[in-house]
Amino acid sequence: MSVAPKEDRVNELTIFVRNLDPQVTERILYELMLQVAPVVRVKIPKDRVMQTSQGFGFVQFKTVQDAEYAERLFNNLMLFGRPIRIKRNSEP
Amino acid sequence: DSYRDLRPGKLSAELRNALGLPPGVAPPWIPLMQRLGPPPSYPHMSMNEEKDVSVASNLGNPVEKTAWGSLQPDEESEEEEED
C-alpha cells in the first residue's frame, strides 16, 4: 500500500537525460546538476557486456522544484558538442 | 563519496572541457538563470558566482548596464560624423 506512492515520489524528483555523449561521466553529470541543486544520486546505466554508456542517465533531486528548474535550465545544453535532452520522469 | 570536492558555482576543468568553456568564461546558462531567478534550493546564489567571470558580472548590475548602454550611441554617432 505504501510502495506505490513512494515510487511516484521518486519519479517526480528524477529527471531523465538523453542524447549524452559517451564521454559524459556520472561525475560530470553530477557536477553539472549540482550547479542548480543538491543531487541525491546520478545514474548512467552501462551496457552490461561492453561497459559503455548507452547515451542516457537519471538524476534524482531532493525536491520537485529542483527537478523542474534543472529541466528548464539545462535542456538542450551542449555537452561535448551534443545537446542534452531532459524530461522529468513523471511526464508522460 | 567521490563527489565531495565538487561545489556549486565553481566549475572543474573536467566540466569546463565538457561544456567547451575556456577558463574565465561564464557558463552558458547564466543568462537563462537571470531570467528564471535563482535556483529554488540556492535562493541566495549570486548569478555571477565565479569571481573570474567578466560576462556574468557585466550582466549582474542593472545600473552598470544602463551606463554602458548609453555610451554606445555616442561612439556610433562619432563614427558617422567621421564618415
Side-chain angles (χ1 to χ4, degrees), chain A residues 51-67:
Chain A
Q51 287 299 303
T52 51
S53 163
Q54 299 174 83
F56 64 89
F58 301 91
V59 183
Q60 186 185 329
F61 296 95
K62 287 180 177 171
T63 71
V64 176
Q65 288 75 20
D66 288 342

Side-chain angles (χ1 to χ4, degrees), chain B:
Chain B
D1 61 357
S2 63
Y3 303 149
R4 207 156 275 207
D5 55 317
L6 303 174
R7 294 282 179 275
K10 188 154 178 59
L11 306 187
S12 70
E14 192 182 21
L15 180 55
R16 282 191 172 273
N17 178 53
L19 292 163
L21 199 64
V25 175
W29 56 80
I30 293 293
L32 181 54
M33 189 180 261
Q34 287 170 337
R35 259 185 288 153
L36 294 178
S41 283
Y42 307 147
H44 304 296
M45 176 184 247
S46 153
M47 311 237 189
N48 45 26
E49 192 91 10
E50 296 212 303
K51 300 293 182 287
D52 59 344
V53 168
S54 58
V55 177
S57 51
N58 291 348
L59 293 170
N61 191 329
V63 177
E64 271 183 33
K65 204 175 172 183
T66 310
W68 282 33
S70 66
L71 288 175
Q72 285 179 341
D74 291 339
E75 285 173 1
E76 279 171 18
S77 62
E78 278 174 14
E79 282 171 20
E80 280 169 17
E81 284 166 19
E82 283 169 11
D83 289 343

Side-chain angles (χ1 to χ4, degrees), chain A residues 3 10 12 17 44-45 53 55 62-64 69 72-73 77 83:
Chain A
V3 172
V10 169
E12 283 177 12
V17 188
I44 298 178
S53 163
K62 287 180 177 171
T63 71
V64 176
Y69 191 92
R72 292 178 73 183
L73 198 70
L77 181 75

Side-chain angles (χ1 to χ4, degrees), chain A residues 73-89:
Chain A
L73 198 70
F74 291 142
N75 188 31
N76 298 325
L77 181 75
M78 303 290 274
L79 286 183
F80 296 103
R82 276 171 66 170
I84 64 172
R85 310 295 189 191
I86 301 178
K87 266 198 177 296
R88 274 183 299 128
N89 216 10

